[in-house]
Amino acid sequence: MKTHVTKTFLTLAFFGLVTTAASAQFTIKIPKISKPKTEPVDTRPVERESANQPVTRGTTSANTTRSGAIYAVKPEAPTNPQFLSEALEVQIERWDYYWKIPNDNHNSSWVPRIVAKAFYGGSANLRYKAEYTMPDGTIWFSEPLEYRGNFASDGTASLMSESDSNRDKKSIVTGGLFGIKITDTKDSSTVFQGKFKVVRYKPKSSDARYKNEVDYYVDYDWKLPIGIADIDWSSRNAVPIIRMWFKGDLKTSGFEARLFHKGQQIATTDDGGSVGSGERYYAFQRGDDDSLFWNEFRFRWPERAEFLVTGDLSNYTTPEQFINQRPGEYVVKVYYNGDQVRETNFSIGSNGTYADNGIAKQSKISTNKSILPVKVMGTLDKWNPANAKTMGFYGTPVAVSNVP
């Protein structure tokens, strides 16, 4: 008897996957700014919002000194957890049998298995539960989510479906549109509610004699027109990261992401930048079918586009690289093997942080990141725009106007 979880965790660090050390494409000679009089940097904690509000907190705050420079400040994780809807992962756990037919190993079955995250800096254990409903609205089952601690450097705590040796006794053999509700059991508040679509299909490699030897996958086409503006705080200065989803087993070496400000290209991942592969979802028996493979890619431009985080202006000799000193709209154009396949934009406000475009708030998505509209271009992806438009963010209508 076999069990499979049809998702491979491949969160590769954003460092050095497609990095080419070379001179910057644009050289702007700016006189070195003299070191100002010592001014204390405001290190007061960022004001916290109440937990689980469906608004964009923003991934950075800002401090301004008399020198005029704006410094990005890493937000402090709150003691009241904020559930991160954008980080929710619904996976498939599959068996080569069905518990209701114990003597027949040709009936594939499945249950959902989820991974969730909360922005949290408290010491007490978190207690959440997930409840699943069938396509007709009837209760399927519920489970406590195991708290895995808040050991991540970005202040996130992980929660996962429980480890249960009898989990196969909850499995079913049908697909459809299933409901999910996640509750904080300490105060009975609902932190997330949505739907996920599971497709049942007959793999090409399966034995044609057994019609119930099938596979299942969660339809993630809705992710393609939705991106995320994030920040990597692990380097000397904070580096902006733009995350997007693609279909197919694509190579990081095929990608190039160009960053524009006021119509001028200021950075490219081909020169001083990098492309990293993030989460991956796919049908277990997909074979070479690229339409059953979803892959997140992450684009960053260290040393070309950063957030200034230090008050030491003695080394502040290339201010054009610090985007929090240059507010306004930025455009990201992504190419694969020379053809443009994606385009999105974000803005930096006058306070030096990502400007809230209102998408998360309008869509009632609780997150501490900026949600971006992504234009899907060309023929690289074998996806269904209609499904993406109707499913939205786990069944939530997302306030983006770029879905055909």
Side-chain angles (χ1 to χ4, degrees):
M1 298 180 180
K2 300 179 181 179
T3 177
H4 311 279
V5 177
T6 62
K7 168 181 175 279
T8 300
F9 286 96
L10 184 56
T11 305
L12 301 178
F14 311 119
F15 311 101
L17 288 180
V18 186
T19 304
T20 303
S23 299
Q25 292 182 340
F26 300 91
T27 303
I28 303 175
K29 295 184 177 179
I30 296 179
K32 182 176 181 180
I33 300 175
S34 60
K35 185 175 181 179
K37 296 180 179 179
T38 302
E39 292 287 347
V41 177
D42 184 358
T43 57
R44 292 173 296 177
V46 179
E47 182 180 354
R48 299 171 184 164
E49 297 173 358
S50 58
N52 300 320
Q53 292 299 310
V55 299
T56 302
R57 291 175 48 90
T59 49
T60 168
S61 182
N63 286 325
T64 306
T65 66
R66 293 175 187 173
S67 65
I70 300 174
Y71 309 125
V73 178
K74 185 177 181 179
E76 184 180 351
T79 54
N80 293 322
Q82 180 191 13
F83 188 84
L84 301 179
S85 297
E86 95 286 343
L88 177 63
E89 303 171 10
V90 181
Q91 309 159 22
I92 294 292
E93 185 169 5
R94 175 184 171 279
W95 289 268
D96 290 331
Y97 61 90
Y98 183 38
W99 65 280
K100 289 186 177 181
I101 311 176
N103 297 321
D104 185 352
N105 290 334
H106 301 291
N107 291 273
S108 307
S109 60
W110 71 280
V111 295
R113 177 172 284 278
I114 68 172
V115 177
K117 292 186 178 181
F119 189 45
Y120 178 55
S123 58
N125 288 354
L126 300 182
R127 295 194 180 277
Y128 290 85
K129 74 172 182 179
E131 182 179 86
Y132 307 95
T133 54
M134 297 292 287
D136 62 2
T138 58
I139 298 297
W140 181 2
F141 73 96
S142 64
E143 62 174 341
L145 299 181
E146 296 180 351
Y147 176 57
R148 299 298 178 90
N150 52 342
F151 305 114
S153 60
D154 60 357
T156 58
S158 296
L159 303 111
M160 301 180 182
S161 289
E162 64 178 342
S163 301
D164 184 0
S165 59
N166 293 316
R167 195 173 182 83
D168 59 337
K169 301 302 187 295
K170 301 171 183 176
S171 67
I172 59 174
V173 295
T174 59
L177 192 61
F178 297 84
I180 178 174
K181 182 172 74 171
I182 300 176
T183 304
D184 185 340
T185 61
K186 291 188 176 182
D187 59 11
S188 299
S189 62
T190 298
V191 298
F192 179 83
Q193 189 162 4
K195 298 179 179 180
F196 60 98
K197 182 181 179 181
V198 173
V199 179
R200 181 183 192 268
Y201 77 105
K202 181 72 172 172
K204 296 178 182 178
S205 59
S206 64
D207 194 326
R209 294 175 299 173
Y210 305 106
K211 65 178 183 179
N212 292 325
E213 275 191 1
V214 298
D215 198 8
Y216 307 88
Y217 64 87
V218 178
D219 188 340
Y220 273 116
D221 275 7
W222 61 263
K223 281 184 172 288
L224 271 66
I226 302 173
I228 291 177
D230 205 347
I231 293 181
D232 175 15
W233 291 96
S234 60
S235 59
R236 175 176 55 87
N237 292 306
V239 178
I241 301 171
I242 304 301
R243 295 159 50 185
M244 300 181 188
W245 284 83
F246 297 79
K247 294 197 74 174
D249 192 5
L250 306 176
K251 298 179 179 179
T252 56
S253 59
F255 283 102
E256 180 199 4
R258 303 172 189 172
L259 181 63
F260 296 80
H261 180 56
K262 294 184 178 180
Q264 298 294 318
Q265 180 176 316
I266 63 172
T268 170
T269 53
D270 278 357
D271 184 6
S274 66
V275 181
S277 180
E279 302 296 341
R280 312 172 88 190
Y281 307 130
Y282 54 86
F284 182 74
Q285 298 187 59
R286 69 179 183 89
D288 59 356
D289 189 346
D290 282 347
S291 68
L292 302 181
F293 193 111
W294 295 262
N295 198 342
E296 180 193 55
F297 286 89
R298 303 171 180 180
F299 308 101
R300 58 200 298 272
W301 306 269
E303 307 301 331
R304 299 291 187 272
E306 303 177 86
F307 288 100
L308 184 65
V309 297
T310 177
D312 183 6
L313 296 185
S314 62
N315 296 321
Y316 186 26
T317 58
T318 56
E320 70 276 3
Q321 79 186 46
F322 298 110
I323 63 175
N324 53 332
Q325 311 304 302
R326 298 190 295 168
E329 184 178 84
Y330 289 77
V331 176
V332 179
K333 297 182 180 181
V334 179
Y335 298 80
Y336 191 75
N337 291 336
D339 296 324
Q340 187 175 356
V341 292
R342 294 288 191 276
E343 187 168 322
T344 190
N345 63 81
F346 62 88
S347 293
I348 300 297
S350 59
N351 64 343
T353 182
Y354 287 126
D356 184 9
N357 56 22
I359 292 178
K361 183 176 181 179
Q362 295 173 35
S363 306
K364 295 182 173 58
I365 299 172
S366 59
T367 177
N368 65 349
K369 301 176 180 63
S370 293
I371 306 297
L372 304 179
V374 176
K375 184 178 181 181
V376 181
M377 309 169 71
T379 59
L380 177 66
D381 310 273
K382 298 177 181 179
W383 71 305
N384 189 329
N387 285 349
K389 189 172 185 178
T390 56
M391 277 303 299
F393 191 94
Y394 288 112
T396 300
V398 180
V400 295
S401 58
N402 54 306
V403 180

